[in-house]
Structure formats: structure tokens, C-alpha cells
Amino acid sequence: MNMLLKAGVAGLALVMASGFAADAKTPKDTLVMAWVFDDIISLDPAEIYEFSSSEYMANTYDRLVVQNLDKPGELKMQAADSYSVSDDGKVFTFKIRPGIKFASGNEMTAEDAEFSLERYVLLDKSPAFIMNQFGLKKETVKDMVRVKDASTLEVELDAAYAPSFFLNCLSYTSAIIDKKEAMSHEKDGDLGYDWLRTNFAGSGPFVLKAWKPNESLVLEANEGYWGGAPKIKRVLAKNVTESATQQLLLQKGDVDMARNLTGDQLKAIAGDKSVHVAAAPKATLWYMGLNTKNEYLAKPEVRQAMKYLVDYDGLANTSFKAIGIKHQTFLPEGQLGADNETPFTLDVAKAKELLAKAGVPNGFNITMDTTNKTETRLLSASIQNTLSKAGINLIIKLADNKTTLTKYRASQHDIYIGQWGSDYQDPHSNAEGYLMAPLAKRNQWQLPENEAAVLAARDEKDSTKRAAMYMTLQKQALETSPYVIMFQQVETAAVQNSVKGFVLGPTFDLNLYSSVTKE
Amino acid sequence: MISASLRSWLLSDTPDSRFQARAGRFYLGWLTFAKNPLAMLGLIILVLLVVMAVFASWISPHDPLFGNLEDRLLPPSGKFWLGTDENGRDIFSRIVFGARTTLYIIGLVAVTAAPIGLLIGTTAGYVGGWVETGLMRLTDAFLAFPKLILALAFAAALGAGLENAVLAIALTAWPPYARIARAETLTVRGSDYLAAARMTGAGGWRILFGHIMPMCIPSLIVRVSLDMAGIILIAAGLGFLGLGVAPPQPEWGSMVSEGRSQILEQWWVCTYPGIAICIVSLGFNLIGDGLRDVLDPRGK
Amino acid sequence: MLIKSRRLRGLLRTLASVLTTLFGLLLVTFVISRLLPADPVLAIVGDHATEEYVARVREELGLNKPILIQFWIYLSHVIQGDLGQSIRTSRPIAQELMNVFPATLELATLGTIIGIILGIPLGVLAAVRKDTMIDHVVRFLGLVGYSVPIFWLGLMGLLVFYAKLDWLPGPGRLDFGYEDMITPVTGLMTVDTLIAGDMDLFKNALGHLILPASLLGYFSLAYISRMTRSLMLGQLSQEYILTARVKGVSEARIIWKHAMGNILVPLITVIALSYGNLLEGSVLTETVFAWRGLGLYITDSIFGQDMPAVMGGTVVVGAIFIIINMLTDVAYRLLDPRAK
């Protein structure tokens, strides 16, 4: 039996020597990326609402208008050639760009656009509320979205809004679907929903080749794209949830790009000459939501004290260095009217003073719902530490993202820590979120005066005045709100130097692959 | 270490009392156990673990719960013997305090799972009939699950947290105890001893609690101690998957998990807690192995 | 004739007990899935859901019906092979499990083969050289295998053999860019690459298997060597062995022919049990190695709070466990000379 053993060992050694670590080179015409996209639940544009699916939509579908990356705050025509607004501000007319072909070969017409806009409302999935804001409801949408002729689409709103507000919203919810293709797969009047949630009927620079949920996403270049064919032939994204694995794969050359490295890992690869890091501030904020239902958090002084008990600078210089920017107001940098002042620093003495004023000089016990995500974990640990210095005993409740969110949505938390991303690139998204609903509702802080002010700002047609109104709202929120806003997220991608042209935009629906080249 | 008279009393061939006989048997077992160097190593590890847990505050040089952000991810040094983690906490201190968590978990699991198993097993064995069939089928159903997966499912449903982890593990640990308790009960069910107890007028529950259960306890204790290492590993596995204790309490499994993303540059963060798990669970396994030698004459 | 019918009766009894155990298994998973503290509906509907939409989803999931009816529905679905729909992917769970199962099968099978090839000789060696250094080393190695957290050993393995030494490929079943080049036929990557006739990819797939399979193999080895040793010791002290020795039969023949022949049947049980244990070990191993199998599917579903998927996976693993136990039981009855 010694022989047997020896043979086994020898065999293993032989196998090892022959080398399994094949020369890991990614194919030349393919962009290979390690990414976490387990948030994708559907590929139907009328249901797409998550970060990763938004990015998919941006690269495979054309939208009527999109944000202009060269001129932040402005729009760019995409599937629409031009648009006009009626004198009363209620009717928008879009001219469809001629010569756009869907992957099926069908020509894009106003009818496709009508179908696609109506679908958002009729299917009533997550993004439907964006359209509902303009009076585009289930009962009315068929009348309000109209085809005038083969290349002209009319959209009527229930009132006059700031045009930029409507167009900003539309820049997310106007992905144009191939009506003939979708309807050929219709079942029980579902407008092709069941088919489209795993399939593709678009006209964008890339077409969907394969999608395995939580596993892989393969896109192929649309050679006949009206804006010019992409330079890279294929995009292969693999879902790699371990950030250490992403780092390894990148450093071994197994992938061209690692999308989800932690701040510490980015620091670690900084010395690697063959890799560079692309970064873009996102319209996403790390914050704590303080539930005013809680007897302590109901006191404004306690809420202010909390704002002085976060080690903003310590975190910004260490674990959040590469992945966040210190930010304390509710509008992220880059949006109209964003106020970038940061009045709060870690100031235990000041916090104690405020706590004493609130009648709780010796602190209290309080729970915080948090997830096991690296960044949340780091924030929570640090906050637990700094709060304890003022006598506040923070009890961390760890759960997965969905459980925590569900509790938060039902307003069953004391403190929630997490991210909030703007739904569309307009200040109203966050103003509404933080001051009216849903965040204000979850934290039990719905004030009529806030609602009035937010709606007034939304409807202001003069951009300068509008910006000023948002500035005021942010200043007030710094003083009274139940939000401890800490960081604006910086999205990063660690990229091999051989790969150029990857665009990280301010939102996930502006992360684009079409100009990527690979040496 | 032990006086000559006590030794001769223990080793007497003609014990005067049942207690002397039992003590003598125990002592003989101990002698066998002590002759096994590996088993003694296990015992030493266990003693060290307990000492570490009891005197954690004296042993650990730093605060296990809170650190300084400036001290993040430092390599092992004179100041931080095993380095620091992503929150600037001393890993050595966290390992020392983690001993408490480990002992707490296995202790709680033992005092929860064993009584559940004892109650179900003895009831099934003593009552018999369809009660027995029903209870034993339930036991089989639980036994049909791989332990870790069942514990995972429970913990996932109950949510993270020390108590829930303990509950989840206990819910998976009791079936073998129920089987043992039932087997023991069956051997004594028809005995004269119980008949005598019944004659004195003892009721069903009295007999169950007063006479049958105590008979089952010794073999149950042995089995529980054999299971300890497995419980530690499952607890660590739950911690690794983020279903363990709430931060900032140190738990070895979650320490490994937290160090995962830094494994390439800061290998010490997840290496040392893993070694701690290995050593302690090895200690329990060595003890268990020694115990098996003592109890199983065939292994000699 | 009598014997035959007795054996048949035994088999029937086994079958009946398997069925009741399966029922218990389903009951337990059902109860667990209703323990959820968070409302599963709120978890699904999203940030801007209307009351009406919430109610609709609740009805679609059947969560507004009485609990016994819910269990009955669950039961009748499972019997038809319908484990429900995954919340995360909206696909049938049974189908998703079918897709991932071959990966686990491949891993656990190779792990068990490694465990058998190394474990049995080591166990025999330890028994023959009882109380020598070899025996102590084998026993200690086995105990270490019982004591190491598998997820940690996996991490260390990756760190050393992949990151530092670069001897073996990293996580996953194939190198990165190539996974989608293979059309699954059997789902076993090594077999599929052979069917595709691509030797490079076959080598690659095998390379990816080595580290995780060796890890599982080590755990299997720990168990098998230990049991082999103990079974062998039981035989070596028997009379017939002494007789054979006296007769001058060679030592190798005594061990491999006589003693081995007698422990073969219990050894098969041991191997089957260890195979079942590897299914469990695969949960953490697959998580560490990003190995898309049953184990990773379950942990992913836990993190995605996808309780139907968690329960589906648990039921399948539990059922496999029960079936393995039943098969060993039957094999034991059929093979064991004493049972005849």
C-alpha cells in the first residue's frame, strides 16, 4: 500500500507540474469584468430599477433623452431627434430619430415609443411612480401618450412642471422597446413582460447574448448601431461577490476590470503599475436614518448630537478614502442646487452638551439595523465606537439587506444605516425622498411645511431660483432633519491599462461600454 | 498528587459502597485517559480556553471592542501581537475575548439541546406506543438534515444574533441525544428497579423525571462532550456566513469572514482567528478521542 | 421463499420509514419558512409600492390563506416536483437546483474518491502498525481534519496555492473568460469539456477541481481512515486471523484478502455516509471557491433573503441524505452475509 500512496503523490505532483494555471489572458475582443450584479431581478426596462440593471439598460436600449455627460445638468437627444414644449408647458412633442433599427431588424417608429412609455405605467412595476408623478396613470396614459405620425410622439402632462424636471425623469424611463418583437411574445395581455424580463428587444449599442441570474451577463456589439458600432465586440460580466476574489482575478489578469473593490483593496493595488482606477462620484449617499418614533431620537437635540458623533474625517482618510467623499447635505454633488458644505465634525464635547440639553446627559441604549456589506460594517463599527464616547450604547442588529430594508420600510427601526441613491438626476428625487416620502415617512418626519416647500421647488421654472430654493431646504435639513448624512459614494473600477474608454457616469444608467478599446 | 490512602481506596477490589465503586471506576478511566498524551493535550487546551475566557480582561492588552482608525490593518508587532483588523482593533485581544463567545455558545447549546433530547427520548421510550413512533419519526426527520444546512436555514429564518445562532444549533443538535435517551430508557423500562419505584406509588412523571432521566445523564454527558468540536465548527460556520453574534462582540468565525477581503495584503486578519478555531476544536476532539478509548474497550 | 418475502417485508418497511421521514422533512422546512420575522411581501414589492400592489403580491404568494391550507399546497407542489419560484430570479427553483446540482456532484464525488484512495490505505496502515508513530500521525491527521473549519482551510489554500505559489487556478469551475464557451450536456465540467473535445479546457476544469476537491477529500479521508482503522482493528484481533497466521498465510494476504473482505460491507456504509457529509461540507467550500453548486446556491439565497430557494435547496439536500441512507441500508441488507 506504500506503493499506492507513492503513486498517488507522484500523480498529483505530475499533474501540478504540468500547470493548470493556464496563461490567463482574456480574449482580445472581449471586455471581461468581475462585478456584483446580483441585484438584477429583471431585464424588462419597465421593471428595471436597480443599479446593475440600469447599467444593462443604458448599454442595450436607446432612450428618448439621456443626461449629457459632457455638460452635467444638461440633456442629450438619443432616440429622439428633437423635442418641443407647448406654450402652456403641458404637452411635449418628440421627433423620433430616423434610421434606428432594433436588433430584430424592425425600424423604430413613434409607435414603439408610445408602447414603451405606456408600458412603464401599465405594468406598474418599480419605476412606474416616476411617470405617475406627471399624471400619467393607468387609466389615462393611453390618452395622454399619443402617436401623431410615424415619427412624432406627443406626451401630455396633467399640469405644467419645470420642463427640466420632466425630461430628467424621462432620461431614466424612456427606453424604447421593439413593439412588434415584444408583442409577438405576449401572453394574457402582459405586453410581453414575462418574455422581456429575461430577453431583449432593444436598439442600443449592445445586444443581449446571454443572461444567467447571479452568474453571468454577455453582451455583443450591435454592428449596425446608428451612433457607430462599439469598438469592443463582446462584454462578459461575471458575478463575483467576494471582493478579494475580484482583486485576485484582476491582478492575475483573469479579468480586465474589477468593479467592486473595497477602499483598502484599492489602496493595495495602487502600487500595481499595470492597473489604473477609474472613479466617479455617484448620486448615492451613505446616511443614517433616525426614527423619530423613538423616544430619544424624537428630541431634536439628540438628533443634532448624533451628527457630531461620527468620525467623518477619520473615515474619509482611511477606509472611505477611495470610495467616498465627505458629504452632509441631502443633494449629492452634481445635482442642481447641491450644497456641499460640511458643518459637522466629530465633536464629543459638543454632542455631550446637546445630550445634556435634551435631558439625557448619560446617554442611552439604542439599536441600529445594518447589513454585512463591507462599507456598512466599517461605518457601523466606527459609529458604535464614537457614540460610546458620549455614553450612547449602540446595539447593532445585523441582517441581510432585504430584512433590514423591510424593517426600515415598515418603520420598525431605531436607526437605519445604508445608502440612498437618487431615482433620477433631478434634485426633486432626493428632496422628495428625504423630506416627503419614502424616507421621511419611514423616519416619521413628515411635515406639511416641508411638503409645500418641496413641491414649490419642483414646480419652479427658473433654474437659478430653483437651485436657491433647494439650498434653503438643505440648510434647514442640516439643523433639524433625522438624517446623519456622511458620504457621497464614489464608484470605482480597477482597470487593466490595456483597456481604455470605459465611462463611469454620475448614475448607473450612465456607465457606458461603447467607447471601450482594448490593446 | 494524590495521597496513597485515597489511591488504595479508589483502586480497592472490594468496594464498601456503591459510591466507592463508581469513584473507583471513574479513577481507572482517568488513569487510562491520562496515559494518552494526545488526550491530555486536549485537556490542556480546554483548560487554557477556560482560563483565557475567565481572565480575558487581564490577559488582553487592548480594548477588544473599539480601536483607533489610525491603527487599522497593522501587521503583527510588539504592540499588537497578532496585528489589527479593519477597525483598528487588536486581533489578539479579540481572540482572547472570543474564547468567551465560544464557551458561551457551546455551553448554551449543551444546556438547551441536551434537555430537549433527554425529554423527547425518555418520554418516547417510557410512554411507548404511538407517542414513541411520532416522536422518533420527528427525530429521524431532523436527523435527515445535514446539521449545518438545517442550522443555516434556522438561522436565516430567525435572523442573525448570538441567541438565534445558539437556538439554531440546539435545534439541530438534539436528535442524537433523544435517540440515546430512548435507548437507555428502553433498557431500564422493564427493570425491577422501576417496578420497585412504581410499587412505592410513584406516578408516571415522577418515575420519568426522578428515576429514568438520571439514569440517562452519564451517557448523555459523554455524547455531548463528543459533539463539542462539531458545535464549535457549526457556530464558526454561521459566523463566517454572517449569521453569528452582533458586532462588536468578537466571534472567531466572523473574524475570519471580516478578514476575507484583506486576505491578500493583510493575511493575519483572517489567519489567526482560524487557527484559534482549529486549536480549540482539535482540543475537544482529542478529549473526545481519549474518552472513547476509555469507554470503548475494543479500541484498547 | 420465506427468506425472500422476509427480505421484501424489510424493504417495504424501509420504504415506509423513508416516506414518513420525507414528510417530516417537508414539515420542518415549511415551519422554518414561516418563522421569518420580516414580512416577505414587503421585501419583494420595492420602495414605491401601493397598498393594492402589496395585497396583490400577498395573494399571488398564497400568504393570505390559512396555514394548514398553505402547507397542503406546499406539499402537493413538492410532490409534483414544484419547489416554487425563486424570489430573486423568478425562475422555478427545481430547475435552478437541477442546473447547479452537477457541480456539487462533481466536487463531492471527486472528494470522496480522494478520501477512499488515501483514507482506506492510511486506516489499514494505522491499524496494522497500531500504537507506532505511523498510527499516531494518521490518527492526529484525522482529528485535525475533524477540527479545521473548512472555509478557513479553503481560504488558506487559495492564498497559498493560487495567490502566492500560482500552482493552481483560482475560484470558479473554469478560467474566467471561458465558462460560457462550454455548452452543458451533463453539467459535469470535466465531462462536458471532454465531450467538446477541448483538451485544454478539460485540463483547466480539472485544475479548478483539484483544490476544492482535495479539501473535501481531506475531510472524507479523516472520516474514512478513522473508521477503517477501527473496523480493521476489530478484525485483526479475531481468531481466524491468528489461525491464518499460524498457517503461514502472507501478511498482505491476511490483511487485504481476509480482513478486508470482512469489513467491506460496513466500509461501504461508511463511504456512503461520508458522501452525504460532503454535501454538507460543500456549502462552505463552494462559498469560498465561488463554485456554482448546491451549497453556494443555498448561501446565496440566504443572503438574498430568498426563503423559497433556501427551503428548496434544504429539501433537496435532505432528500438526497435520506435516499443515500436508504440505499446503504438496502445494500447492507443485500450484501451482508449475516443478514441473509
Side-chain angles (χ1 to χ4, degrees):
Chain A
M1 93 214 79
N2 280 342
M3 286 269 290
L4 224 155
L5 244 174
K6 272 183 200 151
V9 171
L12 204 70
L14 189 78
V15 155
M16 279 190 163
S18 69
F20 286 102
D23 276 335
K25 292 236 164 56
T26 56
K28 270 249 163 9
D29 56 352
T30 307
L31 173 69
V32 182
M33 54 184 188
W35 187 24
V36 178
F37 53 84
D38 51 13
D39 56 339
I40 302 183
I41 49 169
S42 168
L43 298 184
D44 186 334
E47 190 172 28
I48 284 175
Y49 191 59
E50 282 66 31
F51 291 150
S52 309
S53 41
S54 301
E55 183 171 318
Y56 158 78
M57 182 263 286
N59 287 288
T60 51
Y61 284 87
D62 281 321
R63 286 163 282 177
L64 287 177
V65 291
V66 292
Q67 299 288 330
N68 189 341
L69 284 172
D70 302 324
K71 296 177 191 151
E74 283 183 35
L75 292 158
K76 197 168 86 174
M77 295 295 113
Q78 199 173 51
D81 211 350
S82 63
Y83 78 96
S84 59
V85 191
S86 68
D87 293 338
D88 64 359
K90 285 167 74 170
V91 180
F92 285 73
T93 308
F94 297 92
K95 280 278 177 200
I96 303 298
R97 189 181 296 275
I100 299 184
K101 279 213 164 74
F102 288 109
S104 64
N106 297 332
E107 189 115 359
M108 184 190 287
T109 66
E111 215 177 304
D112 297 304
E114 179 201 32
F115 173 71
S116 307
L117 293 196
E118 285 176 0
R119 267 180 109 250
Y120 281 103
V121 178
L122 294 174
L123 289 178
D124 203 14
K125 299 295 174 187
S126 297
F129 83 99
I130 298 176
M131 301 297 257
N132 295 158
Q133 298 180 107
F134 304 99
L136 299 168
K137 301 276 165 71
K138 262 187 179 173
E139 310 75 49
T140 57
V141 70
K142 290 230 167 200
D143 299 328
M144 293 168 78
V145 179
R146 303 179 285 255
V147 172
K148 257 187 98 184
D149 60 56
S151 66
T152 315
L153 178 80
E154 245 180 34
V155 183
E156 186 187 337
L157 313 183
D158 63 344
Y161 298 88
S164 61
F165 174 45
F166 176 62
L167 291 171
N168 279 335
C169 287
L170 213 55
S171 77
Y172 187 78
T173 55
S174 63
I176 310 297
I177 297 163
D178 185 341
K179 181 178 179 180
K180 281 198 201 93
E181 180 79 12
M183 290 307 276
S184 71
H185 294 95
E186 192 187 32
K187 268 196 304 200
D188 317 321
D190 73 349
L191 302 174
Y193 165 68
D194 201 42
W195 178 76
L196 208 50
R197 55 189 310 182
T198 54
N199 285 286
F200 169 73
S203 61
F206 289 91
V207 299
L208 175 71
K209 192 78 205 304
W211 178 52
K212 293 186 198 155
N214 304 323
E215 206 176 326
S216 64
L217 178 68
V218 188
L219 306 181
E220 241 170 21
N222 174 2
E223 297 297 341
Y225 187 58
W226 59 268
K231 301 196 180 65
I232 200 95
K233 293 294 162 242
R234 235 159 68 107
V235 176
L236 168 62
K238 304 278 283 181
N239 192 37
V240 180
T241 47
E242 286 283 323
S243 56
T245 309
Q246 287 201 6
Q247 183 190 351
L248 254 175
L249 289 167
L250 181 77
Q251 292 189 315
K252 294 258 162 189
D254 286 340
V255 296
D256 298 317
M257 204 187 282
R259 300 282 304 270
N260 308 83
L261 298 189
T262 66
D264 292 310
Q265 289 171 334
L266 290 167
K267 208 168 101 190
I269 63 161
D272 191 334
K273 292 257 178 330
S274 60
V275 177
H276 65 275
V277 175
K282 284 286 191 257
T284 301
L285 302 174
W286 290 100
Y287 77 106
M288 281 192 275
L290 313 176
N291 192 347
T292 62
K293 210 164 69 180
N294 178 280
E295 54 169 322
Y296 303 109
L297 300 176
K299 300 174 184 173
E301 296 89 356
V302 172
R303 298 204 295 262
Q304 287 310 102
M306 303 283 289
K307 294 175 192 172
Y308 284 104
L309 287 173
V310 176
D311 190 0
Y312 304 93
D313 295 312
L315 286 161
N317 289 327
T318 56
S319 42
F320 273 72
K321 191 161 191 169
I323 53 169
I325 301 168
K326 187 165 102 173
H327 192 92
Q328 296 175 346
T329 53
F330 68 73
L331 285 185
E333 191 189 335
Q335 285 187 3
L336 180 75
D339 180 355
N340 294 322
E341 68 169 322
T342 52
F344 302 111
T345 50
L346 176 63
D347 188 341
V348 180
K350 175 102 187 198
K352 278 187 172 160
E353 201 178 294
L354 283 161
L355 289 177
K357 221 189 272 176
V360 280
N362 300 321
F364 47 85
N365 290 340
I366 197 145
T367 66
M368 175 158 84
D369 290 297
T370 159
T371 63
N372 211 359
K373 202 178 147 116
T374 310
E375 290 82 15
T376 349
R377 203 175 65 220
L378 288 165
L379 277 178
S380 312
S382 168
I383 290 166
Q384 197 174 36
N385 189 358
T386 43
L387 285 182
S388 75
K389 290 183 176 150
I392 300 175
N393 176 26
L394 186 73
I395 301 151
I396 292 182
K397 300 231 166 185
L398 201 62
D400 61 278
N401 193 28
K402 275 198 187 125
T403 311
T404 342
L405 252 182
T406 306
K407 253 180 104 177
Y408 187 38
R409 282 177 187 152
S411 208
Q412 289 162 344
H413 64 296
D414 289 344
I415 301 176
Y416 168 85
I417 187 164
Q419 284 171 296
W420 175 262
S422 302
D423 292 315
Y424 40 84
Q425 271 297 60
D426 187 276
H428 180 63
S429 174
N430 274 17
E432 185 192 29
Y434 282 97
L435 302 178
M436 285 168 63
L439 301 190
K441 190 171 162 211
R442 290 176 197 168
N443 292 296
Q444 309 277 315
W445 192 64
Q446 283 174 301
L447 310 174
E449 61 269 28
N450 277 347
E451 181 170 345
V454 169
L455 293 180
R458 178 190 72 183
D459 296 337
E460 175 57 55
K461 287 176 192 61
D462 181 322
S463 283
T464 325
K465 273 195 205 156
R466 199 172 171 224
M469 291 165 92
Y470 284 116
M471 285 283 207
T472 318
L473 282 173
Q474 289 169 85
K475 293 235 185 314
Q476 286 169 359
L478 282 173
E479 295 305 318
T480 55
S481 76
Y483 310 110
V484 184
I485 296 166
M486 298 170 285
F487 293 98
Q488 177 166 358
Q489 188 196 345
V490 175
E491 198 204 358
T492 61
V495 190
Q496 306 282 5
N497 285 341
S498 57
V499 172
K500 296 195 172 65
F502 176 61
V503 176
L504 275 178
T507 50
F508 285 84
D509 61 308
L510 294 168
N511 292 344
L512 305 174
Y513 317 140
S514 53
S515 50
V516 167
T517 57
K518 197 170 160 184
E519 278 159 20
Chain B
M1 245 176 99
I2 185 167
S3 78
S5 63
L6 180 58
R7 198 182 141 84
S8 66
W9 178 78
L10 283 167
L11 293 179
S12 159
D13 284 335
T14 51
D16 296 329
S17 65
R18 179 182 284 193
F19 174 71
Q20 189 184 354
R22 200 178 275 180
R25 221 177 319 134
F26 187 80
Y27 183 66
L28 274 175
W30 163 249
L31 287 182
T32 319
F33 187 87
K35 246 188 283 168
N36 181 342
L38 285 179
M40 288 309 282
L41 178 66
L43 195 63
I44 292 169
I45 291 174
L46 176 62
V47 170
L48 282 179
L49 177 75
V50 173
V51 168
M52 216 157 87
V54 172
F55 299 103
S57 342
W58 283 278
I59 296 174
S60 59
H62 298 276
D63 185 344
L65 303 185
F66 301 121
N68 287 316
L69 287 173
E70 304 90 70
D71 296 335
R72 297 178 76 242
L73 301 169
L74 296 177
S77 65
K79 189 174 177 207
F80 302 105
W81 298 342
L82 302 181
T84 60
D85 71 1
E86 58 181 7
N87 293 305
R89 298 175 296 202
D90 178 36
I91 291 173
F92 176 71
S93 305
R94 283 179 72 71
I95 289 180
V96 170
F97 273 88
R100 281 191 182 173
T101 316
T102 301
L103 276 181
Y104 188 69
I105 290 177
I106 55 179
L108 268 186
V109 170
V111 301
T112 331
I116 298 178
L118 185 63
L119 188 67
I120 290 181
T122 49
T123 310
Y126 183 65
V127 178
W130 63 268
V131 174
E132 178 175 13
T133 315
L135 287 178
M136 290 332 282
R137 279 284 152 259
L138 186 71
T139 311
D140 285 346
F142 271 87
L143 270 177
F145 287 99
K147 271 191 184 178
L148 177 71
I149 290 177
L150 186 60
L152 263 182
F154 269 120
L158 296 168
L162 183 56
E163 288 76 19
N164 288 342
V166 167
L167 193 60
I169 300 172
L171 282 171
T172 60
W174 65 267
Y177 308 147
R179 280 203 164 172
I180 289 172
R182 172 172 164 269
E184 294 268 325
T185 309
L186 287 181
T187 60
V188 298
R189 189 160 65 174
S191 68
D192 300 345
Y193 163 68
L194 283 194
R198 238 176 258 126
M199 297 260 271
T200 62
W205 289 110
R206 268 265 323 265
I207 290 185
L208 197 60
F209 281 97
H211 298 276
I212 296 180
M213 283 192 189
M215 302 282 285
C216 304
I217 284 176
S219 49
L220 217 55
I221 289 178
V222 172
R223 176 65 207 233
V224 169
S225 66
L226 293 181
D227 280 356
M228 284 301 171
I231 291 170
I232 290 174
L233 288 185
I234 292 185
L238 289 181
F240 180 73
L241 293 174
L243 296 166
V245 303
Q249 291 311 318
E251 194 274 321
W252 296 340
S254 40
M255 286 170 74
V256 174
S257 170
E258 282 170 17
R260 242 186 326 175
S261 60
Q262 290 108 18
I263 187 170
L264 292 179
E265 270 73 33
Q266 290 90 20
W267 53 269
W268 56 89
V269 184
C270 70
T271 303
Y272 292 123
I275 293 177
I277 302 172
C278 290
I279 292 177
V280 170
S281 111
L282 183 65
F284 276 104
N285 273 329
L286 290 174
I287 293 174
D289 217 34
L291 275 182
R292 247 181 237 118
D293 276 355
V294 171
L295 299 170
D296 175 18
R298 203 176 56 174
K300 277 182 200 163
Chain C
M1 196 60 216
L2 186 76
I3 294 171
K4 231 183 192 170
S5 76
R6 193 185 296 153
R7 191 182 287 169
L8 194 69
R9 221 181 301 146
L11 284 181
L12 280 177
R13 202 178 304 133
T14 315
L15 197 65
S17 95
V18 163
L19 285 179
T20 43
T21 315
L22 279 173
F23 177 82
L25 178 98
L26 291 175
L27 184 66
V28 173
T29 44
F30 179 78
V31 169
I32 296 175
S33 68
R34 304 296 132 148
L35 285 176
L36 276 185
D39 185 346
V41 178
L42 283 183
I44 299 168
V45 293
D47 278 324
H48 300 274
T50 57
E51 297 284 323
E52 174 210 354
Y53 183 54
V54 172
R56 204 172 73 211
V57 173
R58 195 180 301 280
E59 198 168 312
E60 275 168 18
L61 295 179
L63 290 172
N64 53 348
K65 300 199 173 72
I67 195 89
L68 274 178
I69 306 267
Q70 286 185 43
F71 180 57
W72 172 246
I73 294 174
Y74 174 68
L75 208 59
S76 53
H77 282 178
V78 172
I79 289 168
Q80 291 163 32
D82 176 6
L83 293 169
Q85 259 199 357
S86 155
I87 288 176
R88 288 177 310 154
T89 63
S90 317
R91 294 184 179 192
I93 292 165
Q95 192 199 327
E96 293 198 323
L97 288 170
M98 292 266 275
N99 291 341
V100 296
F101 181 67
T104 304
L105 187 73
E106 195 173 23
L107 195 57
T109 308
L110 190 59
T112 307
I113 292 176
I114 294 176
I116 295 171
I117 290 182
L118 296 177
I120 294 181
L122 282 176
V124 171
L125 191 66
V128 173
R129 306 271 163 83
K130 188 172 167 330
D131 288 331
T132 64
M133 201 56 204
I134 295 178
D135 183 28
H136 290 311
V137 169
V138 170
R139 286 182 76 181
F140 192 74
L141 261 180
L143 279 180
V144 171
Y146 272 49
S147 314
V148 181
I150 194 164
F151 55 87
W152 178 80
L153 199 60
L155 283 174
M156 293 296 132
L158 276 178
L159 179 64
V160 174
F161 292 110
Y162 173 51
K164 299 287 179 218
L165 295 177
D166 211 357
W167 285 5
L168 289 170
R173 298 180 68 195
L174 271 183
D175 273 1
F176 228 59
Y178 304 103
E179 266 189 42
D180 296 283
M181 290 183 173
I182 291 295
T183 29
V185 182
T186 58
L188 306 170
M189 201 56 93
T190 42
V191 178
D192 284 352
T193 46
L194 278 183
I195 291 175
D198 191 329
M199 279 317 283
D200 281 343
L201 278 185
F202 170 72
K203 235 176 83 176
N204 193 269
L206 198 62
H208 276 270
L209 251 175
I210 285 184
L211 197 51
S214 308
L215 270 184
L216 287 178
Y218 179 39
F219 287 83
S220 166
L221 175 157
Y223 183 62
I224 292 178
S225 69
R226 199 184 162 85
M227 299 313 279
T228 309
R229 176 183 180 273
S230 149
L231 288 169
M232 200 47 134
L233 281 179
Q235 291 299 319
L236 290 181
S237 58
Q238 304 269 326
E239 204 111 324
Y240 74 94
I241 297 282
L242 281 174
T243 320
R245 279 207 184 114
V246 170
K247 277 189 187 160
V249 180
S250 79
E251 194 66 8
R253 202 177 153 79
I254 290 177
I255 292 164
W256 291 107
K257 193 91 198 274
H258 295 125
M260 205 49 170
N262 276 325
I263 66 168
L264 212 53
V265 172
L267 210 51
I268 287 173
T269 318
V270 166
I271 289 168
L273 283 179
S274 105
Y275 197 72
N277 287 334
L278 287 197
L279 284 181
E280 174 171 57
S282 69
V283 172
L284 291 164
T285 315
E286 287 177 7
T287 309
V288 171
F289 284 91
W291 192 270
R292 304 228 142 260
L294 215 48
L296 187 60
Y297 182 81
I298 292 177
T299 47
D300 269 356
S301 304
I302 286 175
F303 290 128
Q305 196 62 14
D306 189 347
M307 262 336 227
V310 177
M311 288 310 134
T314 312
V315 165
V316 167
V317 176
I320 294 173
F321 230 57
I322 294 175
I323 290 167
I324 289 179
N325 283 340
M326 182 188 77
L327 290 180
T328 23
D329 206 42
V330 172
Y332 200 89
R333 273 168 207 274
L334 295 179
L335 294 178
D336 190 25
R338 270 161 301 178
K340 281 177 192 160

